[in-house]
Amino acid sequence: MTAKPPTRDQIARAADVLGLSLEPADLDEFTEMVRGTVETYYRPLDRLPDNLPPVKYPRTPGHFPSDEEDPLRAWYVKSTIEGSKRGRLRGKTVAIKDNICVAGLPMMNGASVLEGYVPEVDATVVTRTLDAGGTILGKAHCEYFCYSGSSHTNAQKTTLNPLNPEYTPGGSSSGCAALLAAGEVDLAIGSDQGGSIREPASFCGLVGMKPTWGLVPYTGAGSIEMTLDHLGPMSRTVEDNALYLEVLAGEDGLDPRQYAPRTARYTRALGQSAEGLRIGVMTEGFGFEDSEADVDEAVRAAAETFARLGASVTEISVPAHRELGMSVWVPIACEGAYEQILKGLGNGHNWKGAYVPSLLEKLNGWQAKSNMFSEIFKLGMLCAEHMRTVHHGRYYAKAQNLSRLLRAAYDAALEEVDILLTPTSPIKGSKLPPENRTRQEDMVPGFTPIPNTAPIDCTGHPSISIPCAMRDGLPVGLMLTGRHFDESTLYRAAHAFEQAVDWKSV
């Protein structure tokens, strides 16, 4: 592509957008001045590289698997990419969520708008996985722009839960969760802006860690909203999860979300007892309108298990969790996603770091396919456009300001205890909606599971989901939330519980 100087009509349209009234002579003069700017300053950029991180490991373009090869409809594209011959992940197989760039492999991010796009760069987490000796087996399906807690909004396929194919495996890291639960891979990388790592982990009986905001670089991943974006490990065991976070964590110098993140050897927390830990059972995490009684009961029973393991377990109230949580998250997730995904073409502006210009180019012209958006994404974008037009961003700004109060409320509670304990989701799982579903039926599975997970994305605290029980053939997820950059304490508690409890028989 070459930088194109404008025509007079194009500058006239630009003036209309800006509300400028230009006389014909002014219009002529500005047209020539903009042409000169493009020729002098933009055109030289065409001769220079995009300056993206190098791709270090060979791979093939892979293939799109058939339904026979992929009965859970969890893979987008399969391609074996061998990493280093040595490293901590040697012998481990990995699925990459399809909102994360893997050079040479198609990336759809669940969206018809992006079908056919092939990035030319590896995300930082992909390079770190391969440097550590992991073997990537391909890209896992995710929801339309990762904007749902279910698994039926992908533009191509509905991903099935291997524990019960009538249920969603959760979203938006739906394919990652299904592949892990089915044993097809050892590890996966998910993203979490409202619960998209932890909720699928809960629905599939897995371990899912949403690390502290900025601990794992987001470079090269499709964003929803920069202040909500998290990448993190998914696995079947706490040990594998802690090991993978050691590989993924740390500054890369390319992600503005990172402010001197503090890393640790998380595997050193394994094998330590829960004795002496202070665990607060957060009252406001239970008893939602949609809560299932057996979920609340199973999680409270898990809290009693921690007490038997020597932890100090007390009830603690954080009213802001219920009073502010979703009211802070929704404006940020709607208006922020509108600015980042659509108006910012997936990259946005005004930040230093590694941009992916080819992604901007592919997303340009999304209006031509907007009728193909998922219903839940349409709802979010319509709400955002209305609120931005009528209120000019006031409520987005207010929600960001109030998120500091929400963070302070959790921080105050975490001065009294080491960990906050809640259900990951108020429910065990959501049934997939019928083919002839109403719009309301289409949206409910995406919203219902997230009232405990979404607020923690606004505040950036680390939060892990582990399975704690089985009810009616479906897992129940237990969520542990800790202080910023204190993932080690979460792994200590999670591993102690995992070693003491056979959750499938509880």
Side-chain angles (χ1 to χ4, degrees):
M1 180 174 288
T2 301
K4 298 176 182 178
T7 64
R8 188 177 188 275
D9 286 345
Q10 287 172 327
I11 294 300
R13 286 195 294 271
D16 287 341
V17 171
L18 293 171
L20 298 175
S21 298
L22 298 180
E23 296 296 330
D26 298 325
L27 185 57
D28 290 338
E29 187 172 6
F30 273 116
T31 298
E32 289 306 313
M33 293 174 78
V34 174
R35 283 176 178 167
T37 300
V38 172
E39 293 283 355
T40 303
Y41 301 108
Y42 281 75
R43 280 282 179 87
L45 295 179
D46 289 326
R47 299 190 293 271
L48 300 171
D50 286 334
N51 193 30
L52 294 168
V55 176
K56 298 169 62 177
Y57 298 90
R59 75 284 310 266
T60 66
H63 70 282
F64 299 116
S66 65
D67 286 346
E68 290 74 24
E69 184 183 357
D70 179 33
L72 296 173
R73 306 170 193 167
W75 288 109
Y76 175 45
V77 60
K78 298 186 75 173
S79 174
T80 302
I81 307 174
E82 296 282 354
S84 171
K85 296 190 180 302
R86 59 180 62 85
R88 286 174 286 174
L89 298 185
R90 188 68 181 161
K92 301 284 189 184
T93 55
V94 184
I96 305 295
K97 186 176 180 179
D98 190 40
N99 70 325
I100 299 171
C101 289
V102 179
L105 269 63
M107 171 176 149
M108 190 175 73
N109 198 4
S112 50
V113 176
L114 275 175
E115 282 192 83
Y117 173 60
V118 180
E120 70 278 28
V121 64
D122 283 340
T124 298
V125 291
V126 170
T127 300
R128 288 182 177 177
T129 297
L130 296 170
D131 282 344
T135 298
I136 292 172
L137 296 186
K139 308 286 296 295
H141 272 306
C142 61
E143 299 315 292
Y144 205 110
F145 284 137
C146 297
Y147 206 79
S148 175
S150 186
S151 67
H152 66 279
T153 73
N154 182 282
Q156 286 190 348
K157 297 180 178 180
T158 293
T159 300
L160 308 179
N161 189 325
L163 303 179
N164 186 332
E166 294 183 2
Y167 281 74
T168 171
S172 60
S173 304
S174 45
C176 289
L179 293 168
L180 279 166
E184 293 196 35
V185 293
D186 301 313
L187 300 166
I189 305 175
S191 66
D192 195 313
Q193 286 91 354
S196 290
I197 289 172
R198 292 160 292 161
E199 184 229 311
S202 176
F203 286 2
C204 290
L206 304 168
V207 179
M209 169 65 87
K210 181 200 78 68
T212 304
W213 185 74
L215 178 64
V216 174
Y218 208 85
T219 305
S223 171
I224 287 182
E225 209 281 345
M226 290 182 70
T227 67
L228 299 179
D229 291 335
H230 301 73
L231 294 179
M234 302 173 70
S235 62
R236 286 188 294 276
T237 68
V238 175
E239 181 178 4
D240 275 354
N241 204 278
L243 173 66
Y244 201 12
L245 186 60
E246 286 185 356
V247 168
L248 299 176
E251 202 164 6
D252 74 348
L254 299 171
D255 182 7
R257 300 164 188 82
Q258 297 193 286
Y259 295 91
R262 301 193 301 274
T263 63
R265 291 296 298 272
Y266 306 110
T267 51
R268 291 178 180 171
L270 308 179
Q272 299 182 31
S273 75
E275 189 169 356
L277 286 175
R278 300 173 301 163
I279 296 178
V281 180
M282 189 166 68
T283 306
E284 290 78 12
F286 298 79
F288 291 95
E289 181 181 350
D290 295 310
S291 288
E292 295 173 346
D294 56 353
V295 170
D296 282 356
E297 171 271 322
V299 173
R300 288 193 176 277
E304 294 173 5
T305 298
F306 275 113
R308 290 194 295 273
L309 294 173
S312 170
V313 179
T314 57
E315 192 86 5
I316 192 166
S317 179
V318 185
H321 179 71
R322 195 75 73 95
E323 294 169 1
L324 285 178
M326 291 302 292
S327 290
V328 164
W329 181 81
V330 167
I332 298 173
C334 289
E335 295 180 48
Y338 183 42
E339 293 291 327
Q340 186 76 15
I341 299 174
L342 298 185
K343 296 181 77 173
L345 301 179
N347 280 251
H349 300 85
N350 303 319
W351 54 271
K352 287 186 179 293
Y355 288 71
V356 183
S358 61
L359 179 61
L360 286 121
E361 292 173 9
K362 182 64 178 180
L363 278 171
N364 186 44
W366 54 264
Q367 294 88 342
K369 293 186 176 181
S370 59
N371 286 325
M372 300 171 71
F373 289 168
S374 68
E375 295 303 299
I376 197 169
F377 190 69
K378 289 176 185 175
L379 173 63
M381 299 306 98
L382 286 169
C383 180
E385 171 61 21
H386 167 73
M387 296 303 291
R388 298 286 288 182
T389 299
V390 175
H391 297 288
H392 318 296
R394 170 181 173 77
Y395 287 93
Y396 174 87
K398 188 167 187 175
Q400 286 287 10
N401 287 338
L402 290 173
S403 73
R404 299 197 301 275
L405 292 182
L406 183 61
R407 171 176 173 163
Y410 295 134
D411 286 343
L414 288 165
E415 290 179 3
E416 298 181 35
V417 297
D418 301 310
I419 292 170
L420 298 173
L421 181 150
T422 65
T424 306
S425 171
I427 61 177
K428 298 181 291 296
S430 296
K431 274 197 170 184
L432 289 165
E435 289 294 326
N436 60 343
R437 55 187 173 261
T438 65
R439 182 169 284 118
Q440 185 71 17
E441 288 173 328
D442 188 273
M443 293 186 186
V444 165
F447 277 127
T448 304
I450 65 171
N452 279 335
T453 55
I456 308 300
D457 283 289
C458 296
T459 65
H461 290 83
S463 188
I464 190 171
S465 179
I466 60 172
C468 71
M470 185 76 86
R471 296 289 183 272
D472 298 328
L474 295 170
V476 175
L478 164 68
M479 190 168 80
L480 306 173
T481 300
R483 303 181 189 98
H484 287 87
F485 300 114
D486 192 17
E487 284 78 6
S488 291
T489 296
L490 299 183
Y491 281 129
R492 174 186 169 188
H495 191 250
F497 184 90
E498 180 185 68
Q499 297 303 298
V501 176
D502 179 7
W503 64 270
K504 292 180 181 178
S505 62
V506 173

